[in-house]
Amino acid sequence: MEAYFDVLSQCPLFVGITQPEMTEMLRCLDGKISAIPKGNPVLLEGEPARFVGVVLSGAVQVVRDDYYGNRSVLTVVSPGGLFAEAFACAGLDTLPVSAIALQASTVLFLDCQRILNGCPHACSFHGRLVHNLLQGIAQKNLTLTRKIRCMSQKTTREKLMAFLLDQAKQQGSPEFVIPYDRQALADYLGVERSAMSVEIGKLKRAGRIDSKGSWFRVLNPDKGV
Amino acid sequence: MEAYFDVLSQCPLFVGITQPEMTEMLRCLDGKISAIPKGNPVLLEGEPARFVGVVLSGAVQVVRDDYYGNRSVLTVVSPGGLFAEAFACAGLDTLPVSAIALQASTVLFLDCQRILNGCPHACSFHGRLVHNLLQGIAQKNLTLTRKIRCMSQKTTREKLMAFLLDQAKQQGSPEFVIPYDRQALADYLGVERSAMSVEIGKLKRAGRIDSKGSWFRVLNPDKGV
DNA sequence: AAACGTATGTTGGAATTCAAACAAAGGAGA
DNA sequence: TCTCCTTTGTTTGAATTCCAACATACGTTT
């Protein structure tokens, strides 16, 4: 159990919680640790969506099957990572996804209701835990909204500029470094890499932006005379 | 104050909270009610992102200015609606959006920290409030994820099918009614209405779906011989 | 029933994007 | 330095989408 303290302390769900509190917490919340052999299910679609999962070791893949049964991978979660938290918190009766152990894995399950309801002992960490959970989901909310804002643009150029202006605003500076290479950026925006490269070239020649590798600068367009 | 009870009781943030509790709550959380004249700011970009806003009367528009100052409307919030909750919960230091009163409006501001931290009196509604807040944000999370899943498809037809299969799965039946007309669906998927109509026609002739108005049925494709 | 407005389906040319291939530009290691 | 490999930029024909215009269907009102 103590072997996982260093992993847990890196999990965003547990920031600000001390190791002694974690011990108390796991007991109070009735946290279940289970070992899942490689390839076996961690959570199955249709099960009650009660649990937040924390990967302690190994790797867990979250997959979704569409109406026809075609499976697609949503995320791969590594140690310290959280999964299924949005489903548990949204009040769904059943899980719309499954989770599978990519390798032999250890997973900590926490009952979401138990996190939220507090406990008779008024443990100090409850508030912190709820705060962390809410903050994480709210932050994901913002990143999803940002992505939709870019993807909603019609053309490749508009998508790209929406992304770059967003970065400039977010980082508070007209020059910034983006955390993607060209292929990853194209995937993020949902466009073709080659078409995006063309647009980057056009925008540079048009004096709208400057860029080199993952460094970008947006230039004022001198619009409106 | 009591004049707003019926509005508040329709707000998802307050489900399960009784009117007496609301009175106590507003006092305990130090809720601020303010009247904003038409056209005036409710919240300004750059201000601390501490407050969750609840529209009590009138209408509030949430707007975002990009790096160049071009303004776009994110949402219009009507009475009973919540706004800025994700920003307050995500732990942003400053608001990345502004809110403006479209009409003369009344708005209730609740300090997000105060909601989360509980209070010395251990009010019973605190847990419920946090639960509602978290649930609302988690649900929005799922709707955003769904939208991204559809929009990430390359072609209009794939976007449409992704949406329809998602609806079928979500409603648990191959036939279902969607809450959009054609134009709204096209906007949701980020495609052209006319191109989408063409694809609906093709899918019908191909025996993949059936539809009439907002009613749809997805048919098994008899794939793989 | 007729007239009207709205929503939906259809069409065709212009513009854009895709997809694949290749070229050019670094970077790492021998 | 040279080679190998990866990343990024460029090109081109094919496919797709956009856009505007018009046709049709449906519901409502008079």
Side-chain angles (χ1 to χ4, degrees):
Chain A
M1 178 80 88
E2 288 80 9
Y4 299 120
F5 276 148
D6 50 345
V7 177
L8 288 181
S9 64
Q10 290 176 13
C11 176
L13 187 54
F14 300 110
V15 296
I17 294 180
T18 64
Q19 290 203 358
E21 285 177 327
M22 281 192 202
T23 314
E24 188 190 349
M25 189 187 71
L26 292 184
R27 194 172 49 245
C28 169
L29 294 179
D30 194 25
K32 306 286 190 193
I33 294 181
S34 60
I36 293 108
K38 174 175 178 175
N40 280 47
V42 179
L43 292 171
L44 278 178
E45 179 174 343
E47 289 178 350
R50 284 218 313 273
F51 299 104
V52 172
V54 182
V55 177
L56 299 176
S57 73
V60 169
Q61 197 180 44
V62 181
V63 300
R64 185 191 129 87
D65 298 329
D66 72 12
Y67 186 78
Y68 291 149
N70 305 311
R71 174 161 293 189
S72 61
V73 177
L74 299 185
T75 53
V76 174
V77 190
S78 40
L82 223 63
F83 63 96
E85 75 279 19
F87 305 115
C89 294
L92 299 184
D93 42 351
T94 61
L95 271 180
V97 301
S98 294
I100 298 169
L102 275 183
Q103 315 160 14
S105 303
T106 334
V107 174
L108 168 64
F109 293 108
L110 296 175
D111 188 322
C112 193
Q113 288 310 311
R114 213 133 165 181
I115 295 177
L116 283 176
N117 290 338
C119 68
H121 321 98
C123 304
S124 59
F125 55 80
H126 259 117
R128 186 74 202 190
L129 211 52
V130 171
H131 178 279
N132 290 344
L133 190 57
L134 183 57
Q135 178 164 312
I137 295 181
Q139 283 172 354
K140 178 173 281 187
N141 215 309
L142 299 187
T143 67
L144 294 173
T145 303
R146 259 198 293 275
K147 178 164 183 173
I148 288 180
R149 196 184 305 138
C150 293
M151 292 210 314
S152 297
Q153 302 298 320
K154 283 190 284 288
T155 67
T156 299
R157 172 192 295 231
E158 285 168 337
K159 287 174 185 164
L160 181 60
M161 277 308 293
F163 172 78
L164 294 177
L165 291 179
D166 196 75
Q167 287 289 312
K169 181 167 182 177
Q170 209 184 322
Q171 302 195 23
S173 160
E175 39 186 312
F176 49 86
V177 172
I178 66 172
Y180 304 115
D181 63 16
R182 294 288 185 272
Q183 183 62 59
L185 178 56
D187 291 343
Y188 177 85
L189 297 175
V191 299
E192 191 65 19
R193 182 196 60 79
S194 60
M196 190 185 71
S197 263
V198 171
E199 294 301 334
I200 290 177
K202 283 188 195 170
L203 286 168
K204 282 165 106 166
R205 282 189 291 280
R208 301 287 308 280
I209 68 171
D210 197 0
S211 83
K212 181 174 177 57
S214 58
W215 173 88
F216 282 84
R217 170 189 285 170
V218 296
L219 304 169
N220 269 322
D222 290 333
K223 55 174 178 179
V225 183
Chain B
M1 179 81 87
E2 287 80 9
Y4 298 120
F5 276 148
D6 49 345
V7 177
L8 289 181
S9 65
Q10 290 177 12
C11 176
L13 186 54
F14 300 110
V15 295
I17 295 181
T18 62
Q19 290 204 357
E21 285 176 327
M22 282 192 201
T23 313
E24 189 190 348
M25 189 187 72
L26 292 184
R27 192 171 50 243
C28 169
L29 295 179
D30 195 25
K32 305 287 190 193
I33 294 181
S34 61
I36 292 107
K38 174 175 178 174
N40 280 48
V42 179
L43 292 172
L44 278 179
E45 178 174 343
E47 289 178 350
R50 285 217 313 272
F51 299 104
V52 172
V54 182
V55 177
L56 299 176
S57 73
V60 169
Q61 198 180 41
V62 180
V63 300
R64 183 189 132 86
D65 298 329
D66 71 14
Y67 186 78
Y68 290 149
N70 305 311
R71 174 160 292 187
S72 61
V73 176
L74 299 184
T75 53
V76 174
V77 189
S78 40
L82 223 61
F83 63 96
E85 74 279 20
F87 304 115
C89 294
L92 299 185
D93 43 350
T94 59
L95 271 180
V97 300
S98 295
I100 298 169
L102 275 182
Q103 316 160 12
S105 302
T106 333
V107 175
L108 167 65
F109 293 108
L110 296 175
D111 187 322
C112 194
Q113 289 310 314
R114 212 133 167 181
I115 294 177
L116 285 176
N117 289 338
C119 68
H121 321 97
C123 304
S124 59
F125 56 79
H126 258 116
R128 186 73 201 190
L129 211 52
V130 171
H131 178 277
N132 291 345
L133 190 57
L134 183 58
Q135 178 164 314
I137 293 181
Q139 283 172 354
K140 178 173 284 188
N141 214 307
L142 299 187
T143 67
L144 293 173
T145 302
R146 259 198 294 275
K147 178 164 183 172
I148 287 179
R149 195 184 306 137
C150 294
M151 292 211 314
S152 297
Q153 303 297 320
K154 283 191 283 287
T155 67
T156 299
R157 174 193 295 230
E158 285 169 336
K159 287 174 184 165
L160 180 61
M161 277 309 292
F163 172 79
L164 294 177
L165 291 179
D166 195 76
Q167 287 289 310
K169 181 166 182 179
Q170 208 184 324
Q171 302 195 24
S173 161
E175 40 186 310
F176 48 86
V177 172
I178 66 172
Y180 304 116
D181 62 17
R182 293 290 184 272
Q183 183 62 60
L185 178 56
D187 292 343
Y188 177 85
L189 297 176
V191 300
E192 191 66 19
R193 180 195 62 77
S194 61
M196 189 185 71
S197 262
V198 171
E199 294 302 332
I200 291 177
K202 282 186 195 170
L203 287 168
K204 282 166 106 167
R205 281 189 292 279
R208 301 285 309 280
I209 68 171
D210 197 1
S211 82
K212 181 174 177 55
S214 57
W215 172 89
F216 282 83
R217 170 189 287 168
V218 296
L219 305 168
N220 270 321
D222 289 332
K223 54 175 177 177
V225 184

